[in-house]
Amino acid sequence: MSHLQNLLLDTLLGTKHVDSAALIKLQERSLCVASPGFSVMPGDVRTLVNGFAKNPLQTRREGLYFKEKDYKCIRADDYSLYAKNEKTGVVVVKTHLYLLVATYTEGMYPSVCVEATEKLGRISKKKRKLSHQRTMKDSFYYFRE
């Protein structure tokens, strides 16, 4: 099991309010890692990536077709996409490199799924920002000498 898969299992599925999770590479538009038993087909990857590429208002109006179900879009902006179908739903958070995807099912609290997914997304964004700042600082010292 990879480090990324362990991260998904521990931080998302560990809440008991995330049924399945995946990480999609934005640049390659491909699945990076998913929780066991969660298969995200290339068409689903395209749907999620395009959900962010479109105008958020258009995504909210049209909804999503994901995993062979129509989902009503609850939230769509530049960084988050929430959609539901009856008592199930999908939460997608965009970072610089990835789409973080989490699903919930009946009996789970959607708010906990959203909170856990958004928090993991924020941590990823912060790490990237800190890494970038460190690189800039190192470059400054390199050019200064």
Side-chain angles (χ1 to χ4, degrees):
M1 200 175 296
S2 75
H3 167 73
L4 290 174
Q5 192 173 37
N6 282 334
L7 184 68
L8 291 179
L9 293 174
D10 293 345
T11 60
L12 297 180
L13 275 67
T15 67
K16 305 293 186 214
H17 293 280
V18 174
D19 181 56
S20 52
L23 209 52
I24 295 170
K25 293 180 189 176
L26 274 173
Q27 193 72 22
E28 293 87 4
R29 295 179 175 231
S30 64
L31 182 66
C32 177
V33 67
S35 58
F38 187 49
S39 60
V40 183
M41 297 308 195
D44 293 326
V45 170
R46 269 191 308 279
T47 295
L48 296 177
V49 171
N50 289 341
F52 285 100
K54 292 181 192 176
N55 178 342
L57 182 60
Q58 183 180 357
T59 302
R60 275 195 298 263
R61 261 193 307 242
E62 294 176 1
L64 288 176
Y65 185 74
F66 178 71
K67 304 286 290 166
E68 300 181 355
K69 290 182 184 176
D70 284 312
Y71 286 82
K72 178 183 177 190
C73 192
I74 304 303
R75 176 181 177 170
D77 59 35
D78 292 338
Y79 301 103
S80 301
L81 197 144
Y82 309 161
K84 72 176 196 170
N85 174 307
E86 296 179 18
K87 297 183 186 228
T88 65
V90 61
V91 176
V92 186
V93 174
K94 180 180 175 187
T95 70
H96 184 70
L97 299 174
Y98 300 101
L99 289 184
L100 183 56
V101 182
T103 65
Y104 61 88
T105 58
E106 186 173 359
M108 295 181 171
Y109 292 124
S111 60
V112 176
C113 180
V114 165
E115 183 180 349
T117 310
E118 290 282 2
K119 187 173 184 178
L120 184 56
R122 278 193 308 273
I123 290 168
S124 174
K125 289 175 194 173
K126 282 182 184 177
K127 283 189 180 238
R128 175 168 166 42
K129 187 176 180 181
L130 289 173
S131 172
H132 178 69
Q133 287 172 345
R134 223 175 295 128
T135 303
M136 293 297 288
K137 183 179 173 185
D138 294 343
S139 298
F140 174 75
Y141 288 120
Y142 175 78
F143 287 112
R144 203 173 133 191
E145 293 177 353

